[in-house]
Amino acid sequence: MSKRFGFIGAGNMAEAMMKGMISAGVCSPSELIASEVVPERRDYIARTLGISVTADNVEVVREANNVVLAVKPNIVAPVLDELKPMLGSDHLLISIAAGTKISFIEAHLNWGVRVVRVMPNQPCLVGASASAFALGRSAKREDKDTVQKVLESVGVAFAMEEKLLDAVTGLSGSGPAYIYMVIEALADGGVLAGLPRDVAQTLAAQTVFGAAKTVLDIKGHPAQFKNMVESPAGTTIEGIRVLEEAGVRGAFIDAVDAAAKRSIELGRS
């Protein structure tokens, strides 16, 4: 095999992962191959990333023993059925197909194929993903290390039991949408207070980014940093009072819980 990594599907998430892998030195463009059904997309990926691109999924499996399954959930089964004769115990299959369980994937493969299921999230597109992954029955310790390295090239990643991936879906999978609502609402508040829309949106987004970076870099409890912003009888504590009266904290908790439960329901269907 002449390639280290192959991608079945070259959509936005796959593109982001490949960019991150190249930038982080996980592999070079010459060590990557991807399949893509849309000709224009193939040309774009080949031109911008400098990797080998093909219309043939089978070629990817023949060229690489680390294969990332990056297709829509509704076509996972036919794609795996197509690839089954070529996939063996020397292959690591990393699935980023949303909601597709390891048992479903393994049922469409020969015994011994090493499967890892990944739950990435949208900020993978800007190298700031919060991911989690679970190992299949045949996956090895070195496979865990490989997937960890790949995912850390585009953010942070945690290995865990597959049953916890529904909770990850509710938190970091759906979470970006919650935060976009927060940014939009903060910006609207800024406009209400008299700020121009573009200024308000930039200030809101940078405020969320700065707060998140503070928690990640200094590694304290969020409440610790919240208390640092509050001053007696000041503006912040007045705003906090309004948020607490509106039940914002409980609403976020309930949103994560509801999304996680919905993920479980979808997994059963």
Side-chain angles (χ1 to χ4, degrees):
M1 297 181 179
S2 63
K3 307 294 182 181
R4 288 186 60 201
F5 289 91
F7 280 72
I8 305 296
N12 290 333
M13 196 72 78
E15 178 188 358
M17 290 181 67
M18 289 187 283
K19 282 182 177 177
M21 292 164 67
I22 294 168
S23 297
V26 173
C27 61
S28 65
S30 64
E31 295 175 308
L32 276 168
I33 183 171
S35 59
E36 172 57 47
V37 296
V38 180
E40 295 79 10
R41 183 68 181 173
R42 286 200 300 272
D43 293 342
Y44 166 79
I45 292 295
R47 184 176 68 254
T48 57
L49 298 185
I51 70 169
S52 298
V53 186
T54 177
D56 186 4
N57 293 335
V58 172
E59 183 181 352
V60 172
V61 175
R62 286 176 175 158
E63 291 290 329
N65 56 8
N66 297 307
V67 179
V68 179
L69 184 65
V71 299
K72 298 294 185 184
N74 62 309
I75 63 169
V76 166
V79 169
L80 291 179
D81 291 342
E82 173 194 15
L83 299 177
K84 181 177 179 178
M86 276 69 62
L87 286 168
S89 59
D90 56 338
H91 284 99
L92 167 61
L93 184 70
I94 305 167
S95 172
I96 64 171
T100 306
K101 291 189 174 182
I102 292 172
S103 58
F104 180 88
I105 296 170
E106 291 179 335
H108 286 267
L109 298 173
N110 296 309
W111 171 256
V113 180
R114 294 128 52 203
V115 175
V116 175
R117 176 188 169 190
V118 176
M119 179 63 222
N121 73 348
Q122 188 201 38
C124 177
L125 302 177
V126 292
S129 181
S131 304
F133 63 97
L135 306 182
R137 290 177 294 176
S138 300
K140 303 175 181 178
R141 174 59 186 267
E142 52 264 37
D143 298 328
K144 174 182 178 295
D145 296 339
T146 296
V147 174
Q148 189 86 42
K149 185 178 294 185
V150 168
L151 296 177
E152 286 182 348
S153 72
V154 289
V156 299
F158 296 91
M160 58 186 62
E161 296 180 56
E162 186 179 24
K163 65 182 181 181
L164 295 176
L165 292 185
D166 292 309
V168 173
T169 300
L171 177 54
S172 59
S174 301
Y178 313 153
I179 302 305
Y180 297 142
M181 290 181 68
V182 169
I183 292 172
E184 182 182 30
L186 288 173
D188 284 346
V191 172
L192 179 63
L195 294 174
R197 169 64 63 182
D198 58 340
V199 172
Q201 182 167 305
T202 300
L203 287 174
Q206 182 67 24
T207 297
V208 170
F209 170 76
K213 185 170 174 57
T214 300
V215 172
L216 291 171
D217 288 359
I218 303 180
K219 303 187 187 306
H221 193 283
Q224 166 192 344
F225 303 116
K226 175 181 71 70
N227 293 345
M228 289 169 62
V229 182
E230 298 166 344
S231 58
T235 59
T236 303
I237 193 62
E238 181 65 16
I240 292 292
R241 180 188 64 78
V242 172
L243 293 174
E244 293 288 16
E245 287 182 353
V248 170
R249 188 195 304 262
F252 275 115
I253 294 171
D254 289 346
V256 172
D257 186 54
K261 288 177 179 175
R262 179 58 176 157
S263 179
I264 294 172
E265 291 173 2
L266 292 175
R268 291 171 179 162
S269 61

